[in-house]
Amino acid sequence: MRTFAYLVFTCFISAGAFMGALNSANIWSGYLLGFGVWVWFIWNLDNRRRKAEAKRYK
């Protein structure tokens, strides 16, 4: 359930960043933020998966 909440927040933040980039003079900052949020989400998802796997292994 927590992963779903993180996914929803990631979608809202990235959508806002991409929409903001469309109206900005410098679009790269919005794109960087939008894609950076997705990279951070996937990285944290992988870390949580590794910790759960290590806990199961113990």
Side-chain angles (χ1 to χ4, degrees):
M1 187 69 180
R2 186 171 35 169
T3 302
F4 179 72
Y6 288 153
L7 176 65
V8 169
F9 290 138
T10 301
C11 288
F12 281 135
I13 293 170
S14 65
F18 290 139
M19 284 185 220
L22 290 174
N23 296 325
S24 176
N26 183 7
I27 63 171
W28 295 110
S29 61
Y31 286 150
L32 183 65
L33 178 64
F35 287 122
V37 168
W38 278 106
V39 168
W40 186 47
F41 172 74
I42 292 169
W43 181 66
N44 282 331
L45 189 67
D46 187 49
N47 282 343
R48 281 185 277 144
R49 184 192 55 84
R50 285 183 191 174
K51 286 179 184 178
E53 186 177 315
K55 189 176 180 181
R56 258 184 272 127
Y57 183 72
K58 278 186 175 183

